[in-house]
Amino acid sequence: MGRFLEEARRQFPMIIVDSSSLARTANAQLLSRGVNGVLLVARAGKTPSTGLSCDVQALLSVEAPLLGTVLNGCDQSLRLRTAGIEEPKEVSRAYA
């Protein structure tokens, strides 16, 4: 995989690699050593916070360049409230 990434870097300005879950395999940790950045993806209501914390620690233990976390599956009204935006009536009816 290391040679593949080296070759891809020579040919492309940006490479995005989607990896399996950290909980299922160590490949994600190994792969994280050869990339410029790692985004940890979690699903709202499905990914336990303890699991997410363990994943962060596992990435940090191999000095992975952790850029941040993406939270998928959020409720639209929760996203608006978190951003401090009042929910328009059209949005609330569409998601009711």
Side-chain angles (χ1 to χ4, degrees), residues 56-77:
V56 168
Q57 290 304 316
L59 288 168
L60 294 176
S61 74
V62 295
E63 298 181 7
L66 186 57
L67 301 175
T69 304
V70 175
L71 183 61
N72 286 330
C74 286
D75 176 273
Q76 177 69 24
S77 62

Side-chain angles (χ1 to χ4, degrees), residues 11-60:
Q11 294 184 31
F12 304 101
M14 181 184 296
I15 301 139
I16 298 173
V17 179
D18 185 9
S19 174
S20 59
S21 167
L22 282 171
R24 294 192 185 139
T25 179
N27 288 345
Q29 284 177 284
L30 294 173
L31 184 60
S32 70
R33 295 178 188 172
V35 298
N36 294 350
V38 175
L39 282 175
L40 191 58
V41 180
R43 177 152 305 279
K46 298 287 184 188
T47 306
S49 60
T50 54
L52 193 56
S53 179
C54 287
D55 289 347
V56 168
Q57 290 304 316
L59 288 168
L60 294 176

